[in-house]
Amino acid sequence: MWNLIDRNYEEGDFGSRELLIGIFWEETMFQNRHQLHGSAVGFGQVEPVNFAAINKWGSKNYNKTLIDISDDASVRVTIDYLNMLSSRLKGRRSVLDGYAGSIQRPKNAVKVNQWLDCERILQDNDFDSETVTMALKAAELNHRTAIVLVNDL
């Protein structure tokens, strides 16, 4: 997952690679998939209703099929959505709350804290299996039994 993110993350993009690890683990456990009970797609579970705005803002051509068949596009649509929100909202927390839909669903604000905790752990410690395990648990404790399946970020 790290190599996929690194290949798609560019200088000046919002957030960090470590933040994306947290978002992608919490949302899908690094699976490029459709939401189980909804319409969101990709590693970051971007709602297709947002594609038109992202496409217009970034001169892109995202759609559900592209996200389904391209892991790179799945990573990049999340980055582009965060970049678009960053151009419209003030402050890092506001951008992440916008991404998480915390205004519409206040309980989603907890997700933002989890993503930020994951990011901090990965950035402040040696990048080893203990750190990765700790960071993924911070991103989403309910996925802790799946962590043993993650061999290579």
Side-chain angles (χ1 to χ4, degrees):
M1 178 53 63
W2 182 263
N3 291 337
L4 181 61
I5 290 170
D6 193 50
R7 184 169 64 234
N8 286 282
Y9 190 87
E10 300 172 1
E11 187 71 30
D13 282 334
F14 177 86
S16 68
R17 293 163 181 84
E18 295 86 355
L19 177 65
L20 291 170
I21 290 288
I23 292 171
F24 294 161
W25 180 255
E26 184 274 324
E27 291 288 352
T28 63
M29 295 189 302
F30 303 147
Q31 302 297 308
N32 185 10
R33 66 176 186 191
H34 288 261
Q35 189 177 41
L36 296 177
H37 304 290
S39 59
V41 296
F43 294 115
Q45 294 294 277
V46 176
E47 292 287 348
V49 69
N50 294 310
F51 289 163
I54 298 166
N55 289 340
K56 183 177 179 182
W57 175 84
S59 300
K60 304 289 181 157
N61 194 26
Y62 294 120
N63 59 63
K64 286 173 73 168
T65 302
L66 178 61
I67 303 307
D68 284 344
I69 64 172
S70 171
D71 287 349
D72 289 298
S74 180
V75 168
R76 197 64 224 177
V77 72
T78 299
I79 295 168
D80 285 338
Y81 188 32
L82 288 166
N83 286 338
M84 182 189 78
L85 291 172
S86 178
S87 75
R88 297 176 178 180
L89 301 170
K90 292 187 187 279
R92 193 166 199 251
R93 181 66 194 220
S94 294
V95 171
L96 294 172
D97 280 332
Y99 184 86
S102 300
I103 294 168
Q104 300 86 349
R105 294 177 300 277
K107 68 179 183 174
N108 285 1
V110 171
K111 290 181 172 194
V112 175
N113 294 335
Q114 292 169 198
W115 301 339
L116 292 170
D117 287 345
C118 176
E119 177 187 48
R120 180 186 46 76
I121 291 166
L122 291 173
Q123 289 178 341
D124 291 352
N125 296 284
D126 292 334
F127 205 80
D128 56 25
S129 61
E130 185 178 324
T131 298
V132 170
T133 298
M134 197 169 42
L136 295 181
K137 284 181 180 177
E140 179 52 74
L141 187 59
N142 291 326
H143 298 334
R144 67 186 172 278
T145 57
I147 291 173
V148 294
L149 302 175
V150 178
N151 296 325
D152 179 35
L153 276 183

